[in-house]
């Protein structure tokens, strides 16, 4: 399967700080999605990106679809305690049977 | 809308037993997916379906079977449970993958001992 390299693996930050994480691949993707997963729950969609270069915001979250179509970035501004969780990127390749491939996740801890 | 629902929430199986994980969605989505998530890992696609009567293998299909007789339901069958199938299983759906998002159910935590 396709490999999505997500970094960093974990982050410990102070409340109010900004957060950046990214997802890279050696392959081109048609769609990038960013999810947040709380313990014991299913992933919840945060942002969807459909075009290279696209920059999309959802409240304090901003994500970008890389120009090369091989990467994506998620930024969280002014973090708050409820931002704690695991963030996953997912990429879709339409020429491989409409399959989504997931990164290994970034675990975020926000220290009040 | 209930969204994507999964049952059961938890299950313990003995090696060699069989079970079916249920998944249903009420959003009239064409595409449905089954993933497994191992501790500290991302999700791996087991099987997916692009519509009633059509299913296809994902990255890790061995040991599993699926069927899609209706748009709403997409059950996942484990025929001979093995310890390697201990995982959390998530079902997801989307209207179409290229232009719409994928929505997940709450998961089924399965332990095989």
């Amino acid at each position: 399967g396709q490999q999505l390299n997500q970094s960093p693996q974990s982050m410990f930050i102070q409340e109010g700080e900004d957060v950046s994480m990214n997802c890279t691949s050696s392959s081109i993707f048609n769609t990038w999605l960013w999810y947040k997963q709380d313990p014991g729950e299913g992933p919840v969609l945060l942002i969807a990106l459909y075009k290279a270069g696209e920059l999309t915001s959802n409240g304090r979250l901003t994500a970008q679809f890389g120009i090369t179509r091989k990467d994506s970035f998620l930024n969280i501004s002014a973090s708050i305690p409820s931002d704690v969780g695991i963030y996953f990127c997912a990429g879709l390749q339409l020429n491989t049977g409409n399959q989504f491939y997931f990164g290994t996740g970034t675990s975020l801890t926000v220290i009040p | 809308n209930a969204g994507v629902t999964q049952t059961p929430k938890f299950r313990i199986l003995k090696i060699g037993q069989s079970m079916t994980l249920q998944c249903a969605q009420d959003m009239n989505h064409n595409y449905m997916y089954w993933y497994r998530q191992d501790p500290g890992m991302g999700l791996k696609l087991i099987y997916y379906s692009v519509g009633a009567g059509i299913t296809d293998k994902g990255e890790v299909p061995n040991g599993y079977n699926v069927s899609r007789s209706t748009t709403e339901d997409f059950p996942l069958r484990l025929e001979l449970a093995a310890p390697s199938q201990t995982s959390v299983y998530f079902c997801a759906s989307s209207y179409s993958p290229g232009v719409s998002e994928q929505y997940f159910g709450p998961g089924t935590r399965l332990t095989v001992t």
Side-chain angles (χ1 to χ4, degrees):
Chain A
Q2 299 296 329
Q3 186 81 13
L4 292 186
N5 301 305
Q6 194 170 341
S7 65
Q9 192 172 5
S10 61
M11 302 180 74
F12 293 81
I13 62 169
Q14 292 288 140
E15 183 177 356
E17 288 184 352
D18 296 342
V19 173
S20 290
M21 60 189 77
N22 68 77
C23 205
T24 61
S25 175
S26 58
S27 303
I28 289 174
F29 287 88
N30 304 98
T31 297
W32 285 96
L33 305 176
W34 283 94
Y35 288 89
K36 178 175 182 276
Q37 186 177 26
D38 292 327
E41 303 289 330
V44 174
L45 182 69
L46 299 173
I47 292 180
L49 302 159
Y50 300 108
K51 293 195 302 187
E54 180 180 352
L55 184 72
T56 297
S57 292
N58 177 8
R60 294 178 295 106
L61 278 63
T62 302
Q64 184 159 25
F65 193 141
I67 287 291
T68 65
R69 297 168 63 192
K70 294 181 180 181
D71 56 11
S72 181
F73 305 87
L74 176 70
N75 296 315
I76 305 173
S77 63
S79 59
I80 59 178
S82 63
D83 290 334
V84 165
I86 301 178
Y87 292 78
F88 289 100
C89 62
L92 171 68
Q93 289 184 325
L94 294 177
N95 62 355
T96 58
N98 301 311
Q99 294 191 33
F100 285 93
Y101 296 92
F102 281 77
T104 51
T106 294
S107 175
L108 178 64
T109 301
V110 179
I111 303 166
Chain B
N1 285 353
V4 180
T5 58
Q6 288 183 242
T7 56
K9 201 163 178 61
F10 302 95
R11 184 72 187 268
I12 298 174
L13 281 182
K14 294 192 184 304
I15 295 171
Q17 286 185 321
S18 301
M19 78 164 293
T20 299
L21 282 67
Q22 302 291 344
C23 174
Q25 53 90 11
D26 61 359
M27 298 174 281
N28 202 31
H29 284 172
N30 295 319
Y31 289 75
M32 295 187 74
Y33 310 81
W34 273 106
Y35 294 91
R36 60 176 288 170
Q37 185 177 34
D38 297 325
M41 303 295 289
L43 287 85
K44 298 286 188 182
L45 183 65
I46 304 171
Y47 270 95
Y48 68 101
S49 168
V50 303
I54 307 170
T55 62
D56 210 344
K57 296 178 181 179
E59 280 187 87
V60 290
N62 292 343
Y64 308 94
N65 277 301
V66 293
S67 59
R68 183 100 181 267
S69 56
T70 66
T71 299
E72 295 77 19
D73 301 296
F74 190 40
L76 177 72
R77 178 87 179 154
L78 283 72
E79 289 295 348
L80 291 170
S84 61
Q85 293 178 304
T86 294
S87 190
V88 181
Y89 291 84
F90 289 101
C91 179
S93 72
S94 66
Y95 183 68
S96 72
V99 293
S100 70
E101 302 84 14
Q102 200 176 62
Y103 295 91
F104 283 82
T108 294
R109 185 175 296 274
L110 176 67
T111 301
V112 182
T113 61

